[in-house]
Amino acid sequence: MQAPFVDWLTLGSELFFQLSSGRLLTHLEVSPELRTDAAPLAWAARPVHARGVRAADRSSATTIAATQLWIVGAGPAGLALAEACVARGVRVSVLAPDPRAAWRPNYAMWLDDATSLGVEPYLAHRWPGTTARFAAGPRPLDRGYALLDDRRWQLESLARIERAGGSIVAGTLAAIDHDDEGVQLDCDDGQRLRGQLVVDATGHGSRFVALEAGPAPAYQVAWGEQWAVEKELELDRATFMDWSSTGAAESDESLPPTFCYALPLARDRLFAEETVLAARLDHAPASYFPALRRRLDRRLELQGVGRIGEPLELERCVIPMGAALPRADQRTLAFGGAASMVHPATGYLLTTVLRRRARVADAIATELGHWVSPGGPSRRIWQAIWTPAEVRAWRLYSFGLEIICALDRAALDRFFAEFFELPDHCWRGFVSGTAPTPELMATMLRYFASVPAPIRARLGSALFGREGLRMLRGFGGLQRS
Ligand SMILES: Cc1cc2nc3c(=O)[nH]c(=O)nc-3n(C[C@H](O)[C@H](O)[C@H](O)COP(=O)(O)OP(=O)(O)OC[C@H]3O[C@@H](n4cnc5c(N)ncnc54)[C@H](O)[C@@H]3O)c2cc1C
C-alpha cells in the first residue's frame, strides 16, 4: 500500500505535501516550530523524482511544484529579472546549465546610466570622460564611462535571489510545453519541472522563442586584448570609438569597417578591442577574429603602445544586432538577448534589462496574483517587456542599423563625427536608448539635414525603400497573429 504522501516542505508559514500521485497540496498553515526557513525553496525547485518518487513514476510526478515562475538562463538578464520578481514575492526558480559559472564578457556602460540604474556599487573602473576619434581629430565627450565588476555583481545577485526565497537550479532546458495548468520544462538530463510561467533568458539565438519575420541580424564582432604596457596611460578618459585608419594593409584584410574601443584600466594596463560595429557578414562571425587581431596589433604598433609579454586577457565578441523582435502571441515569455533587447545601434543590452526589469516584474506579479488559468499569452506582460513606444524606437534604430551596415570606413567616420556634433542630449538619448520616439525622430531628421550629401542620398533611398516601409509597417507594436 502506498503512503498518502511521500514528502513535505514548508515555505514561510505554508506547508506543502507531496502526494504519491505526484500532486502537491498547498495552503496549510504550519506552526512556527515546523518551519524550515533555512532553505525555503530549495526543495521545491528540485525535480520531483529526486525526492522519494521512483524514477519510473516520473511522468506522473510532474505536478505543479511551488515554483510560480521559471527563469531559464542565469546571465545578466535572467538574474536581473529574477531579483526583481523575488522582491515582489513571486516564487522564482532560475535554471541554467552552470548557474554560478563566471560570465564571459566584460560589461561596460555609461556612468550616468550606472548611477541611475543602481549599479554604481558594482563598478570596477570609472572614467570621468570619453573620447571619440575621427579623421578630423579627437572629439572629447563630456560623458563618463564605467566597467562593471560583473563577477561580484553576479555572485551577490545570486545570493540576494536565494536569500529572498528564490532557487538556483542546474539543468539545461530541452523543451517547453504549455498546458491548462501552466508550463512544463523538460531538461536534457530528464529533469521535468513545473510552474505557472516561464521566461526565456537564454540569450541571443534562443531556441524557445518565436521571432517576427524579418531580415537576418547583422553582427557586431570584436577582438579584445588586455595588455600590461610600458608607457604611463592617462586614466581620465575611455576611448569610446577610434575610427582612424591603420593604413594601406586594411584593403587586403577583407574586413568590414572597424574602430577601436580602448579602456585604460590602470596606468600600466590597457584593454583595447578592434570592433566591427555592425555588418551583414559573408562568413561565420568567428572567422573574422584573426584579421581583427592583426588589425588591433597594427593599430597598437602605430600608436606606439609598448606591450609587455603576452596579453593578460582575450575577449571574443559576437553580438547579433537588430535581430527580429519576439512575437507577442506566445506563452513563453522572453527577456534580455532572447527578447532581442540588444541596442541595434551600439550592441549594448545591460542598461535595457536594468531599466525594464521592475515593470516586467510588476506585470508578472500582477498576472500571478490574479492567476485563474493560463489561457492565452499574457498581453500585459509582453507589453511590459516591449512597450509600443519602445517597439517604434526599435524600428527607427533598426533603420539606422541598415545605414550603418551600408557605409564604408570613411563614411562611418564622417557619420559619427557628425553624430557627436549633435546637441549633447540628442546623442546621449540615442546611444542610451532612452530618447522617446518623437525626440528620436527629431534627432534623426536633424542629423539627416547635417550630414554630407552622399550620406544623405543613402539615407533618403533607404527611407523610401524596403527598410523605410518595414519600419513604418512595424510601428504598431509587437506582432500578434
Ligand atoms: C564579449 C561581449 C561583450 C559584451 N559587452 C557588453 C557591454 O559592455 N555592455 C552591454 O550592455 N552589453 C554587452 N554585451 C552584449 C550583451 O549584454 C550580452 O550579450 C549579454 O550577455 C546578454 O545577456 P543575457 O542574460 O540575455 O544572455 P547571456 O548572458 O547569454 O546568458 C544566457 C544564460 O542562459 C543559459 N542558457 C543557455 N541555454 C540554456 C538552456 N538550454 N537551458 C538553460 N539555460 C541556458 C546560459 O548558460 C546563460 O546562463 C556583450 C556581449 C559580448 C558577447
Side-chain angles (χ1 to χ4, degrees):
M1 186 173 140
Q2 285 191 316
F5 65 86
V6 295
D7 215 336
W8 61 271
L9 80 160
T10 61
L11 303 172
S13 63
E14 284 184 317
L15 178 61
F16 289 74
F17 285 96
Q18 173 76 45
L19 300 187
S20 54
S21 68
R23 288 206 79 77
L24 198 70
L25 293 185
T26 60
H27 297 293
L28 302 173
E29 282 294 310
V30 64
S31 61
E33 63 275 17
L34 273 178
R35 292 180 192 172
T36 54
D37 288 341
L41 268 171
W43 178 86
R46 282 207 296 272
V48 178
H49 69 265
R51 235 349 233 241
V53 179
R54 284 171 291 130
D57 293 341
R58 213 163 63 209
S59 58
S60 63
T62 56
T63 183
I64 295 183
T67 295
Q68 292 176 295
L69 173 70
W70 281 95
I71 294 181
V72 187
L79 295 194
L81 184 62
E83 262 200 67
C85 288
V86 288
R88 284 157 180 78
V90 176
R91 295 194 300 271
V92 177
S93 294
V94 176
L95 176 74
D98 186 0
R100 285 165 218 283
W103 295 336
R104 283 219 227 120
N106 292 308
Y107 291 111
M109 58 175 71
W110 296 102
L111 186 53
D112 49 307
D113 283 337
T115 307
S116 65
L117 293 167
V119 287
E120 219 182 346
Y122 296 103
L123 299 185
H125 295 275
R126 61 184 77 202
W127 297 269
T130 32
T131 306
R133 288 177 201 284
F134 306 106
R139 166 84 164 84
L141 304 172
D142 184 21
R143 191 173 191 188
Y145 201 65
L147 188 68
L148 217 58
D149 179 348
D150 41 57
R151 185 62 173 157
R152 191 159 68 82
W153 187 37
Q154 176 196 16
L155 292 177
E156 290 190 19
S157 181
L158 285 163
R160 277 194 296 270
I161 292 165
E162 289 182 303
R163 265 201 311 276
S167 298
I168 309 297
V169 182
T172 302
L173 180 68
I176 300 179
D177 268 317
H178 295 276
D179 56 32
D180 291 345
E181 289 177 277
V183 65
Q184 175 173 298
L185 309 182
D186 284 302
C187 298
D188 274 3
D189 61 359
Q191 287 188 81
R192 183 164 277 186
L193 308 159
R194 288 209 56 104
Q196 286 163 279
L197 292 175
V198 60
V199 175
D200 178 352
T202 60
H204 315 293
S206 156
R207 293 189 286 132
F208 308 106
V209 170
L211 303 179
E212 296 174 352
Y219 282 93
Q220 182 170 111
V221 190
W223 177 271
E225 296 177 355
Q226 193 191 129
W227 285 95
V229 296
E230 287 161 358
K231 207 167 67 181
E232 279 232 331
L233 301 170
E234 297 289 337
L235 296 179
D236 55 340
R237 283 188 184 276
T239 300
F240 185 60
M241 43 174 57
D242 176 355
W243 284 101
S244 56
S245 162
T246 62
E250 285 195 359
S251 55
D252 298 334
E253 280 170 338
S254 49
L255 267 179
T258 65
F259 67 93
C260 186
Y261 162 81
L263 306 175
L265 300 174
R267 293 237 169 260
D268 60 352
R269 192 154 301 187
L270 178 72
F271 175 77
E273 194 160 58
E274 197 67 29
T275 307
V276 175
L277 176 59
R280 304 224 173 266
L281 302 175
D282 300 328
H283 308 288
S287 68
Y288 294 83
F289 288 145
L292 284 167
R293 184 177 202 167
R294 281 195 298 278
R295 190 172 289 182
L296 178 63
D297 184 54
R298 197 167 57 247
R299 188 184 293 280
L300 295 176
E301 282 290 329
L302 279 170
Q303 291 179 351
V305 178
R307 287 162 282 169
I308 301 169
E310 295 296 313
L312 303 170
E313 196 183 302
L314 299 178
E315 181 174 90
R316 299 166 185 83
C317 175
V318 175
I319 307 176
M321 305 274 285
L325 294 178
R327 295 186 59 90
D329 51 5
Q330 53 194 323
R331 281 172 59 184
T332 298
L333 302 161
F335 198 64
S340 308
M341 285 184 182
V342 167
H343 190 307
T346 64
Y348 287 52
L349 170 130
L350 230 52
T351 47
T352 305
V353 301
L354 291 171
R355 212 169 271 130
R356 294 186 193 178
R357 66 173 170 171
R359 65 169 202 237
V360 174
D362 281 341
I364 288 173
T366 306
E367 175 109 349
L368 289 169
H370 300 110
W371 186 263
V372 186
S373 127
S378 168
R379 193 180 176 82
R380 189 192 295 121
I381 302 177
W382 274 115
Q383 287 213 342
I385 294 170
W386 275 100
T387 66
E390 284 161 354
V391 172
R392 281 194 291 279
W394 186 92
R395 310 248 186 244
L396 277 173
Y397 281 121
S398 301
F399 173 72
L401 174 70
E402 293 306 320
I403 310 296
I404 287 172
C405 289
L407 299 180
D408 62 17
R409 197 191 58 75
L412 279 167
D413 179 296
R414 282 203 306 277
F415 182 97
F416 283 106
E418 293 291 340
F419 178 76
F420 285 113
E421 287 307 318
L422 289 169
D424 260 21
H425 72 275
C426 293
W427 70 258
R428 280 170 185 250
F430 189 95
V431 295
S432 279
T434 49
T437 317
E439 192 175 306
L440 203 56
M441 281 188 124
T443 300
M444 283 182 135
L445 284 175
R446 199 176 183 140
Y447 179 69
F448 188 81
S450 66
V451 290
I455 297 183
R456 194 159 48 238
R458 174 71 189 101
L459 289 171
S461 67
L463 185 60
F464 297 108
R466 237 185 8 194
E467 292 99 330
L469 267 179
R470 196 181 309 123
M471 174 176 78
L472 291 174
R473 221 181 291 128
F475 259 27
L478 288 183
Q479 278 176 15
R480 306 167 68 86
S481 54

